[in-house]
Amino acid sequence: LEEVFDAVGKRTFINVELTNYTTPRDQLVETVCMLVKKCGLQNDVMFSSFFASNLSKARAYLPEVPRGLLAFSGLLGAWARSFGFDFGKYQALHPYLTDVSPQQVQRVHRLNRRIHVWTVNAAEDMRRLFHWGVDAIFTDDPWLAVQVRDESK
């Protein structure tokens, strides 16, 4: 991660997913927060996680860094997409592609928060989401996403 920060940290905004899902009581969150601080990237990163507890810990260490709640797809992510997000101290919701609707985009925006959808690789899905007003997407094809975004403007 430090190599990524050194290479692109000040040139692009980075989503840092806190992924200690099999070892939730480890020191990952603290270690990542200290690295972000050491590199001076508090304004250049966002933390995301499926674990609300990871985001709470990150908020305690670096309250100025925005946080996005990742929502599992389907029924597993229903709580995160609704009550967990509504009442959490998050700046963004990160739902899975098939769980997004225009109504959900509007609801998130009414809460003055952002919606970043994962993982979007097909141009037609990108066009639909940009048309609905999502704030960002996660993709494996950033060049296609930029092209489609620019067409949509």
Side-chain angles (χ1 to χ4, degrees):
L1 184 59
E2 188 167 10
E3 290 174 10
V4 171
F5 286 170
D6 288 342
V8 297
K10 292 290 186 181
R11 295 187 320 202
T12 189
F13 193 79
I14 301 171
N15 176 74
V16 178
E17 184 178 346
L18 302 169
T19 59
N20 57 340
Y21 303 125
T22 59
T23 57
R25 294 185 190 3
D26 66 12
Q27 299 300 308
L28 176 79
V29 174
E30 296 84 348
T31 302
V32 170
C33 287
M34 295 308 108
L35 181 60
V36 166
K37 192 170 186 170
K38 172 185 165 192
C39 295
L41 295 176
Q42 294 93 320
N43 295 318
D44 301 297
V45 300
M46 166 178 258
F47 294 132
S48 66
S49 184
F50 289 102
F51 285 176
S53 60
N54 280 349
L55 298 175
S56 293
K57 283 183 197 175
R59 181 173 173 249
Y61 284 101
L62 294 174
E64 68 274 25
V65 173
R67 292 160 314 284
L69 180 63
L70 278 160
F72 288 106
S73 63
L75 192 55
L76 279 176
W79 178 86
R81 290 189 305 274
S82 59
F83 301 108
F85 180 70
D86 285 353
F87 298 108
K89 297 191 183 319
Y90 313 112
Q91 287 69 41
L93 175 64
H94 298 172
Y96 183 65
L97 169 64
T98 58
D99 294 317
V100 181
S101 68
Q103 296 79 16
Q104 183 183 48
V105 173
Q106 291 171 2
R107 179 179 67 85
V108 169
H109 286 160
R110 276 195 306 272
L111 293 168
N112 293 315
R113 297 180 187 168
R114 297 173 55 89
I115 185 164
H116 306 155
V117 181
W118 63 277
T119 298
V120 186
N121 291 322
E124 59 272 12
D125 291 330
M126 293 175 186
R127 283 186 194 93
R128 182 180 72 251
L129 293 168
F130 291 144
H131 176 74
W132 290 350
V134 301
D135 299 292
I137 62 169
F138 296 96
T139 184
D140 298 319
D141 193 343
W143 300 117
L144 176 63
V146 168
Q147 179 184 358
V148 170
R149 182 201 63 198
D150 291 348
E151 286 173 7
S152 302
K153 288 182 179 181

